Amino acid sequence: MNKKVVVLDIVALMPELLGDNTPNLNRLIEKSFISPLSGVFPAVTTTAQSTMVTGLQPQQHGIVGNGWYERDHAEVMFWKQSNRLVQGKKIWDILKEKNTEFTCSKLFWWYNMYANVDASITPRPHYPADGRKIIDLYSTPTGLHQQIEDKLGKFPFFNFWGPKADIKASQWIAEAAMMEYDLNQPDLQLVYLPHLDYCLQKFGPQGANTSIEVQAIDKIVGKLIDFYQERNVEIIVVSEYGIEAVDTPVHINKILRQHDYIKVRETLTWEMLDTGASRAFAVSDHQIAHVYVGDNADINEVKALLENTPGIEKVLTQVEKHELHINHQRAGDLIAVAEKGAWFTYYYWLDDNKAPDFARTIDIHRKPGYDPVEM
């Protein structure tokens, strides 16, 4: 009988964080081994996870960032959830072809909805017509998350993302993973533990509380290790990327607007980015920015402008995109890469009084770029 496997995705776990505060991870390493993963560009959540589950590069699976510009819709789309966005076969598809009895559970990994797995749980709020946001989860089979919440209590959604993000969300996910395993006993279980990612984004990798936060996730991992080892389950721990300290924001869209590439639409007292009318704009995602240029005749001019912008290390064109395996139609016509210590904002307004209403809120779907300030 083949051994069952659980993959624990401890996001932002880096070798330099291992030490006296990680006794449980240390004992796992001592009985096994530690090895660096080959990097993927860009090193962001959805891209890294999609490469892990397909074995493909972004130019093949199409997940070029946490979000991108859909040219046909003329809309920036971030944090979409359909697994059908990930092109190519996933590991569970391949294993199901080889063994019709194979089962897989996917807990809180991204692109969970409609994946060809046997069980899944992912955050999915409800949005009534009156503007409310009602916190909830989505699961397959139907009723799975309700069954778990009946025993664990409601998933602590506001501790999962935003200023209140803390260990409670990862604790709940870990408890749910153990319950789901005993319920379904999948051959492969994928478990997402985001705690380090969020606290390191809030406080920095050298923050005063970093050792405490590392110890907190290690304690949870220790419980998981004991649980799976008792059931003879092989444990694989992965991380998607590391976090580095930054101190220099690069307002790439403000620069493009100052050079008349960006158009906005006046909406009440706000300015909304008018992507379809803009000659060029950027979709920012941490330390890379996809730059979409409406007319090919403008590409060299935009490239020169960005290359001379402080905080930008380089600007990738078609040749460089191909070399970094991100030459996909969803990618920007150009991709800006930040210098060490710098990061890209999505902000495009020049007058703060005209900032859109979502600018100072947690609104991951309407913002035309990733906004770590939400943390």
Side-chain angles (χ1 to χ4, degrees), residues 250 286-289 311-314 336-344:
V250 180
H286 291 284
Q287 291 176 295
I288 68 108
I312 296 180
E313 178 183 322
K314 56 187 173 182
V337 180
E339 293 178 349
K340 185 176 178 62
W343 64 283
F344 292 109

Side-chain angles (χ1 to χ4, degrees), residues 14-35:
M14 300 175 282
E16 53 265 39
L17 296 178
L18 298 171
D20 293 342
N21 292 313
T22 58
N24 294 299
L25 283 165
N26 294 346
R27 64 184 169 96
L28 185 65
I29 292 168
E30 287 168 5
K31 292 182 179 179
S32 183
F33 65 94
I34 183 171
S35 177

Side-chain angles (χ1 to χ4, degrees), residues 104-369:
C104 178
S105 297
K106 193 165 182 264
L107 307 183
F108 288 80
W109 281 52
W110 209 252
Y111 301 117
N112 234 352
M113 295 182 69
Y114 321 121
N116 183 29
V117 294
D118 302 276
S120 67
I121 305 176
T122 197
R124 182 70 170 184
H126 302 282
Y127 298 93
D130 61 6
R132 288 177 296 157
K133 180 177 181 178
I134 299 175
I135 302 309
D136 202 0
L137 300 173
Y138 181 96
S139 63
T140 57
T142 301
L144 174 61
H145 75 267
Q146 292 93 336
Q147 183 178 355
I148 290 175
E149 285 185 324
D150 284 345
K151 295 183 179 179
L152 294 184
K154 294 290 288 183
F155 174 64
F157 198 102
F158 293 111
N159 302 93
F160 181 70
W161 175 256
K164 290 182 64 178
D166 61 20
I167 197 65
K168 293 177 184 176
S170 292
Q171 175 68 59
W172 193 98
I173 293 170
E175 295 290 341
M178 291 184 285
M179 287 183 61
E180 192 278 329
Y181 183 84
D182 276 346
L183 184 66
N184 296 316
Q185 297 187 22
D187 296 301
L188 173 64
Q189 188 188 50
L190 306 175
V191 183
Y192 176 72
L193 299 172
H195 178 63
L196 280 182
D197 184 19
Y198 298 159
C199 65
L200 293 183
Q201 283 194 58
K202 284 196 288 186
F203 307 119
Q206 285 81 44
N209 293 330
T210 297
S211 62
I212 296 172
E213 304 296 353
V214 171
Q215 190 173 27
I217 194 66
D218 182 76
K219 184 177 180 180
I220 290 173
V221 171
K223 188 172 181 180
L224 289 169
I225 290 172
D226 292 340
F227 173 87
Y228 291 113
Q229 286 182 339
E230 287 173 2
R231 288 154 180 78
N232 198 34
V233 177
E234 187 75 28
I235 303 166
I236 298 174
V237 172
V238 297
S239 178
E240 300 166 6
Y241 44 75
I243 300 285
E244 72 169 9
V246 295
D247 55 18
T248 304
V250 180
H251 304 299
I252 187 169
N253 278 322
K254 291 186 179 184
I255 293 163
L256 290 169
R257 184 170 179 187
Q258 288 165 343
H259 288 79
D260 201 32
Y261 287 105
I262 279 181
K263 300 297 181 184
V264 298
R265 181 188 177 202
E266 296 283 347
T267 304
L268 301 177
T269 60
W270 315 315
E271 291 181 343
M272 303 297 290
L273 179 63
D274 194 350
T275 55
S278 295
R279 292 167 57 205
F281 66 92
V283 175
S284 300
D285 199 350
H286 291 284
Q287 291 176 295
I288 68 108
H290 290 278
V291 183
Y292 297 88
V293 185
D295 189 337
N296 287 338
D298 288 332
I299 286 181
N300 288 337
E301 188 177 87
V302 173
K303 180 175 183 288
L305 170 65
L306 297 179
E307 285 178 329
N308 286 291
T309 297
I312 296 180
E313 178 183 322
K314 56 187 173 182
V315 180
L316 311 181
T317 57
Q318 292 299 107
V319 173
E320 293 89 358
K321 286 193 295 180
H322 182 76
E323 291 173 350
L324 287 172
H325 311 293
I326 196 171
N327 190 26
H328 190 276
Q329 62 183 3
R330 291 171 178 164
D333 300 290
L334 301 169
I335 300 177
V337 180
E339 293 178 349
K340 185 176 178 62
W343 64 283
F344 292 109
T345 73
Y346 77 89
Y347 314 143
Y348 55 83
W349 54 92
L350 303 179
D351 180 350
D352 208 43
N353 293 317
K354 294 186 177 181
D357 61 340
F358 54 70
R360 295 177 180 84
T361 68
I362 296 175
D363 200 335
I364 64 174
H365 299 298
R366 284 205 297 162
K367 294 180 179 180

